[in-house]
Amino acid sequence: MKSLPLASGILGGVLVLGVAGWMIWQLQEPDSTGLAREPVVVVGQKTRASLLQAVDQYLEIADPKREKPQVLAALKPELKPRMICHENLIEVRQKSESQQLVGIAASCEEYAKVGQKLLASSQYKNLSLLTVEATGETYRVLDIQEALEGDLLRSSVREMFSAEAAPRALEISETGFAALSEENQVEGRKVFGLPQNAEIQLYKPS
């Protein structure tokens, strides 16, 4: 019976250490809460599809202003390469009466066909915020803001997304791009009429 006070003391000490450790972890964990204040819009499947179609078309077209070079298009235009993108819609916010902000995670890869292989070259992935405008039942992209990389990623994502969406965007940036890249590969093989087990070869300029 005399061991009970000692056991209680040890248990109490463990609890105190546990609480203290949790508090230190909380203090060290960087804040991921988004800072954007525009109202979040819930969109239906039809609107979602129209938004992603506009975004997809915009990302797949070469735009020098976006500094996303397409190596095969520049060096091997005779191969008629294609930039293929897939997106994960994170959120939609209302910017004005006619404009919306579309937050996405996107993975884009440039492909061409060489023999029975899929040739892969330029690729990029990022979190982006696009300003779109409704034109009847479709949308057109007016502007794009892309998250910064490295140590500035978290702060830029917090500025771009709402309180609830920013943590989700950061999580996708860590785990979600691989799935989007796989979708690019599937579509790339399909676009160039290759079987789904066709080899993918990385282009190396000579």
Side-chain angles (χ1 to χ4, degrees):
M1 296 296 292
K2 291 181 180 180
S3 64
L4 287 176
L6 177 60
S8 299
I10 293 174
L11 180 59
V14 170
L15 289 172
V16 170
L17 288 173
V19 171
W22 179 82
M23 292 178 66
I24 292 173
W25 177 80
Q26 286 288 95
L27 291 172
Q28 292 178 339
E29 181 70 9
D31 190 357
S32 299
T33 306
L35 303 173
R37 295 290 178 253
E38 297 90 352
V40 176
V41 179
V42 178
V43 296
Q45 288 298 322
K46 184 178 180 180
T47 300
R48 177 191 179 94
S50 296
L51 287 170
L52 286 178
Q53 182 179 20
V55 169
D56 196 64
Q57 290 175 349
Y58 176 80
L59 294 178
E60 291 183 351
I61 295 174
D63 184 353
K65 293 182 295 184
R66 295 185 55 232
E67 298 181 351
K68 302 295 184 185
Q70 297 184 16
V71 174
L72 291 176
L75 301 181
K76 294 288 184 179
E78 68 275 11
L79 296 179
K80 299 180 180 179
R82 284 274 308 273
M83 180 65 78
I84 294 176
C85 301
H86 278 84
E87 305 81 25
N88 188 330
L89 180 63
I90 299 173
E91 73 171 352
V92 179
R93 303 197 308 274
Q94 197 71 38
K95 183 177 182 181
S96 66
E97 184 176 347
S98 61
Q99 295 181 5
Q100 293 178 317
L101 297 169
V102 182
I104 61 164
S107 173
C108 296
E109 300 174 53
E110 187 186 25
Y111 293 120
K113 179 182 177 182
V114 176
Q116 291 303 305
K117 295 180 181 180
L118 189 65
L119 190 63
S121 183
S122 308
Q123 57 179 298
Y124 61 92
K125 54 188 179 181
N126 208 343
L127 299 167
S128 303
L129 184 67
L130 298 98
T131 301
V132 303
E133 183 176 56
T135 56
E137 295 185 355
T138 62
Y139 294 87
R140 66 186 181 101
V141 176
L142 303 177
D143 190 26
I144 184 171
Q145 177 185 356
E146 296 177 295
L148 301 176
E149 299 179 354
D151 295 338
L152 298 175
L153 172 65
R154 186 177 299 272
S155 60
S156 65
V157 168
R158 292 186 66 200
E159 293 287 343
M160 291 165 56
F161 291 91
S162 68
E164 296 78 13
R168 189 162 70 252
L170 289 168
E171 182 180 355
I172 290 173
S173 73
E174 295 177 357
T175 62
F177 286 117
L180 292 174
S181 181
E182 289 179 6
E183 291 183 50
N184 288 338
Q185 294 173 10
V186 170
E187 184 177 348
R189 291 184 176 104
K190 183 178 180 180
V191 164
F192 289 101
L194 293 169
Q196 282 305 308
N197 62 350
E199 180 183 347
I200 297 178
Q201 177 181 327
L202 183 62
Y203 174 67
K204 296 180 181 179
S206 54

